[in-house]
Amino acid sequence: MKIFLSRDSASKALGSEEVAEAIKAEAKARGITVELVRTGSRGMIWLEPLVEIDTPEGRLAWGPMTPDAVHRLFDLPEDDPLALGPTEDLDWMRRQTRLTFARCGVIDPLDLAAYEAHGGLAGLRRALEMSGEAIIDEMKLSGLRGRGGAGFPTGIKWDTVRLARSDRKYIVCNADEGDSGTFADRMIMEGDPFSLIEGMAIAGIGTGANKGFVYLRSEYPDAIEVMREAVEIARAAGVLGPDVLGSGLAFDMEIRVGAGAYVCGEETSLLNSLEGKRGVVRAKPPLPALEGFLGKPTVVNNVISLATVPVIFEKGAEHFANFGLGRSRGTIPIQIAGNVARGGLFETAFGMPLGELVEDIAGGTASGRPVKAVQVGGPLGAYMSRDEFDTPFGYEEFDGQGGLIGHAGIVVFDETADMLGMARFAMEFCAVESCGKCTPCRIGAVRGVETIDRIAAGDPAAAPLLTDLCETMTSGSLCALGGFTPYPVMSALQKFPEDFAGRREAAE
Amino acid sequence: MPQSPPVDDLRALIAPYLDMEGPLLPILHAVQAEYGHIPAPAIPVIAETLNLTRAEVHGVVSFYHDFRDAPAGRHVLKICRAEACQAVGGSALSQRALDRLGVDWHGTTADGSITVEPVYCLGLCACGPAVMVDERVHGRVDDTRLDAILQEVRA
Ligand SMILES: Cc1cc2nc3c(=O)[nH]c(=O)nc-3n(C[C@H](O)[C@H](O)[C@H](O)COP(=O)(O)O)c2cc1C
Ligand code: SF4
Ligand code: FES
């Protein structure tokens, strides 16, 4: 009997390790040999721990599993309330287009042979036959834009590094994933680490860089462990090292651990941190692509940007570019979180309206109360109201609503949410995480908290002050931490004015 | 756990990292893993080895939330304070934990068993409220789970 069970940290947080022990104990008691394959997560977090049983007709899903119910798996009654049927037939799975996450949840993340059997390394092999210029052209044709937030075309960034003359160049993967509501980077690193390694190797071959770093946040101990092991395995198999897959080209990489600073997700702050300095943001220019790590030309890309590269080369840029909407090409792993009935990772072509994601895919709130607000794009993203539910998921489309998709996290709040409290939190977060370089961010955020407290206390002069303060932060900040904190603050103030007025009236 | 590590021990601890490009963060992580914090006497040793000033090393240590200048309790409880966890009752959970333990954020209980730290997202946003005890994660933590976790840790 072959059983699949996720080892993703969300699954662990919901009890997968206890389920694993129960499966082993039950198998032993019954005298049955069970092959228990630990995979990444399929992304249906509300069903974790999800157990899958291998059958000739495909995998059968059971979840959310508990240790007490494990014995039922062995009898396989079809009418069991935990039996969900074939995994691939589940609505959540059928409605996705899984390109980046095709293998996640399917294979043992550290089984390189399984990785290859599911299409892995085909992209790197193809890239190794191509010139650097052809690799860049393929990236440009794919239309891939950076998934870390800014949405800059990846192929153009790579071209700048390729054309820069230098004795050393670097590929730096930004795995700092600090945005609340996002976990795609974590899931792919825990569930399909070789796709990131392969993507970084292709980036290295394409730009002439032979050294890579993954800057991985310390809050992700499981991802750190899996990535470190995966790099060892890839090196031992010749995927990394002085002679990548026998091509004569060199590329190797290191996993580096962050130290709990949100701002180190900003690329220049990240580079300072990697160099061993304070994670203070650098002024641009110079671009990291020209003067990055240790002053050398450096590609800085998000985990998902890089982990999407292998499938672009495996299936061809056009295949990827055929999905999407407008200038947002391909698929995007959307992370649905907060107060939702069905939370998790849903990869789909750009273009699905926000309301469909929230009401239909996620099934509305977990509490059953109406949705009040949705924050898209992390702590620097705007709060959207139900009035904006027809906004299609795309870079320009969200920008047009005064929002951003950022790293594609969606956080849903029900009607009990206190939007003044959320605005205050946004300012508080900015104050805690500011790198300290610009006054509007460092001091402004502290003033912002005080000003919101004055609004709460009923001071009528405070709301215009908050608006002025936000304008100063927007115009006078070097990076998006200070510059975009006004998005959640002002969107909360403008779209939910009742939350900012109620207490004042109550005080009068 | 010695408070003032011998200089030779520190040098030996640092040595494997010296060939790295940008070795300071890996060194600080290694020192903290060994001593539970960055002991003050380590700073001049690190500075001298890397050809930096003490002020530079101190500046780096103080910039990052992870590095401590004094040891934490026997266990570290990190509670997510970020938005997705707030959407499912994270703030009330934090308050309950702090009240139960009689500490404020960053505080350590009188018996030295637990230090409580805020964390801004653990990547468990679809199963919040989320907490991490040392390196072990817990999702959908309600009052009962929290009490059980605290009891287990203090035992
Ligand atoms: C405050 C701040 C935090 C950021 N955090 C991250 C992060 O955690 N991960 C990330 O990939 N990009 C983050 N970014 C964006 C990066 O600066 C950069 O645009 C990105 O890593 C480039 O990669 P991409 O083109 O593949 O998106 C952040 C930016 C700012 C201003
Ligand atoms: S806006 Fe804030 S975080 Fe960004 S550079 Fe300025 S002070 Fe640093
Ligand atoms: S917001 Fe709490 S784990 Fe992400």
Side-chain angles (χ1 to χ4, degrees):
Chain A
M1 192 174 179
K2 193 169 178 180
I3 300 182
F4 300 88
L5 172 67
S6 160
R7 56 176 285 181
D8 182 275
S9 47
S11 316
K12 288 185 180 169
L14 297 171
S16 60
E17 299 321 284
E18 292 77 2
V19 168
E21 287 311 311
I23 290 173
K24 286 180 204 154
E26 185 70 21
K28 199 169 167 211
R30 294 186 183 227
I32 298 176
T33 327
V34 165
E35 187 192 347
L36 182 61
V37 182
R38 303 305 301 270
T39 62
S41 171
R42 294 270 197 169
M44 298 177 282
I45 305 297
W46 82 98
L47 293 177
E48 293 288 356
L50 182 82
V51 174
E52 292 176 84
I53 313 272
D54 205 28
T55 74
E57 294 79 47
R59 297 186 191 177
L60 297 179
W62 282 62
M65 187 47 65
T66 60
D68 293 345
V70 155
H71 67 98
R72 279 145 56 187
L73 280 174
F74 288 78
D75 304 327
L76 275 184
E78 273 174 27
D79 56 350
D80 195 286
L82 294 181
L84 306 165
T87 315
E88 299 294 343
D89 290 351
L90 294 171
D91 196 47
W92 180 280
M93 297 304 299
R94 277 213 331 256
R95 292 175 69 177
Q96 293 185 70
T97 303
R98 279 175 97 101
L99 298 181
T100 309
F101 279 79
R103 283 174 294 261
C104 191
V106 177
I107 62 168
D108 171 350
L110 293 170
D111 184 344
L112 189 57
Y115 179 74
E116 270 199 270
H118 286 80
L121 298 183
L124 177 56
R125 289 211 167 84
R126 183 171 159 232
L128 286 169
E129 305 285 309
M130 296 162 76
S131 69
E133 195 176 0
I135 290 175
I136 305 295
D137 286 345
E138 186 79 357
M139 286 302 292
K140 287 182 179 166
L141 190 65
S142 76
L144 179 72
R145 293 166 69 178
R147 301 297 192 233
F152 188 81
T154 306
I156 294 177
K157 189 183 282 187
W158 288 17
D159 212 14
T160 309
V161 174
R162 181 181 73 90
L163 295 171
R165 287 173 178 237
S166 176
D167 56 334
R168 280 191 80 63
K169 299 178 184 179
Y170 296 95
I171 307 297
V172 171
C173 170
N174 187 341
D176 202 47
E177 194 166 63
D179 290 0
S180 167
T182 68
F183 42 86
D185 297 352
R186 181 187 64 62
M187 274 186 60
I188 206 85
M189 289 188 289
E190 292 180 9
D192 194 21
F194 294 124
S195 66
L196 174 56
I197 293 172
E198 184 181 350
M200 288 180 70
I202 295 173
I205 305 297
T207 58
N210 50 34
K211 179 73 187 278
F213 293 95
V214 179
Y215 185 89
L216 217 171
R217 67 198 298 253
S218 61
E219 292 86 344
Y220 284 178
D222 288 290
I224 293 168
E225 194 188 312
V226 177
M227 282 306 306
R228 288 208 161 127
E229 267 185 70
V231 166
E232 296 284 328
I233 293 167
R235 198 178 284 138
V239 177
L240 293 173
D243 184 18
V244 171
L245 293 178
S247 64
L249 298 169
F251 186 77
D252 211 329
M253 60 194 274
E254 273 178 48
I255 308 300
R256 291 288 178 93
V257 179
Y262 174 76
V263 73
C264 287
E266 195 283 333
E267 56 186 2
T268 61
S269 159
L270 185 153
L271 292 170
N272 274 337
S273 183
L274 207 54
E275 289 177 10
K277 300 179 181 144
R278 294 164 68 90
V280 174
V281 174
R282 299 178 184 170
K284 282 188 267 191
L287 289 176
L290 295 173
E291 290 177 40
F293 182 62
L294 301 174
K296 303 292 182 183
T298 302
V299 168
V300 183
N301 269 141
N302 172 255
V303 174
I304 299 298
S305 312
L306 290 163
T308 301
V309 171
V311 72
I312 291 173
F313 281 81
E314 180 200 340
K315 303 218 159 147
E318 272 176 52
H319 178 81
F320 186 79
N322 280 336
F323 296 98
L325 166 81
R327 287 177 49 218
S328 309
R329 306 314 314 167
T331 59
I332 175 91
I334 299 172
Q335 300 123 83
I336 308 178
N339 197 331
V340 281
R342 295 189 287 272
L345 184 134
F346 188 87
E347 182 178 350
T348 182
F350 281 99
M352 190 176 273
L354 179 60
E356 186 177 343
L357 286 161
V358 173
E359 302 283 13
D360 188 9
I361 303 296
T365 63
S367 61
R369 297 191 194 92
V371 175
K372 177 169 182 173
V374 182
Q375 187 178 32
V376 184
L380 308 175
Y383 285 100
M384 319 263 295
S385 69
R386 302 178 63 95
D387 297 342
E388 292 152 297
F389 268 14
D390 55 0
T391 312
F393 211 88
Y395 293 99
E396 280 68 31
E397 291 71 16
F398 267 63
D399 192 46
Q401 295 289 345
L404 51 98
I405 64 172
H407 189 44
I410 294 185
V411 178
V412 177
F413 294 81
D414 75 6
E415 61 182 12
T416 62
D418 162 22
M419 300 311 292
L420 179 140
M422 298 317 297
R424 186 187 193 279
F425 177 80
M427 283 292 191
E428 193 189 343
F429 181 74
C430 180
V432 171
E433 298 296 339
S434 170
C435 84
K437 189 157 179 163
C438 353
T439 317
C441 169
R442 188 182 70 239
I443 308 288
V446 178
R447 293 280 169 276
V449 173
E450 293 164 7
T451 311
I452 293 170
D453 285 343
R454 280 171 57 189
I455 297 178
D459 180 348
L465 248 170
L466 183 64
T467 308
D468 282 354
L469 186 67
C470 281
E471 275 164 21
T472 310
M473 286 176 74
T474 304
S475 59
S477 296
L478 186 59
C479 86
L481 182 48
F484 287 9
T485 293
Y487 274 124
V489 174
M490 290 308 294
S491 58
L493 178 66
Q494 285 160 357
K495 295 175 195 172
F496 306 93
E498 61 287 357
D499 284 16
F500 291 77
R503 282 177 238 191
R504 174 171 20 177
E505 278 153 20
E508 272 165 3
Chain B
M1 226 181 255
Q3 292 293 304
S4 294
V7 171
D8 286 346
D9 289 3
L10 277 166
R11 290 223 171 91
L13 187 63
I14 294 170
Y17 300 94
L18 293 178
D19 290 338
M20 284 183 156
E21 296 167 295
L24 184 50
L25 254 62
I27 287 175
L28 292 173
H29 277 302
V31 170
Q32 182 147 307
E34 181 73 17
Y35 298 104
H37 68 300
I38 309 292
I43 290 184
V45 180
I46 296 170
E48 186 197 323
T49 320
L50 298 184
N51 227 345
L52 298 168
T53 67
R54 292 173 187 207
E56 281 170 313
V57 177
H58 180 77
V60 172
V61 173
S62 63
F63 182 86
Y64 296 96
H65 300 302
D66 279 3
F67 299 128
R68 310 174 177 283
D69 53 15
R74 286 191 295 284
H75 301 281
V76 177
L77 168 66
K78 293 187 179 173
I79 309 179
C80 178
R81 290 194 64 201
E83 289 88 343
C85 286
Q86 287 189 45
V88 286
S91 304
L93 185 84
S94 303
Q95 200 50 56
R96 184 183 174 92
L98 296 173
D99 290 348
R100 289 255 146 167
L101 297 171
V103 295
D104 205 345
W105 292 116
H106 309 291
T108 302
T109 52
D111 64 358
S113 62
I114 310 182
T115 299
V116 187
E117 298 283 358
V119 63
Y120 297 93
C121 195
L122 292 165
L124 303 171
C125 331
C127 55
V131 311
M132 183 153 85
V133 183
D134 303 326
E135 300 215 324
R136 190 152 170 228
V137 286
H138 302 268
R140 256 183 247 136
V141 180
D142 56 14
D143 290 353
T144 322
R145 285 282 307 281
L146 177 74
D147 293 350
I149 291 167
L150 293 183
Q151 202 173 10
E152 193 187 315
V153 171
R154 301 192 85 168

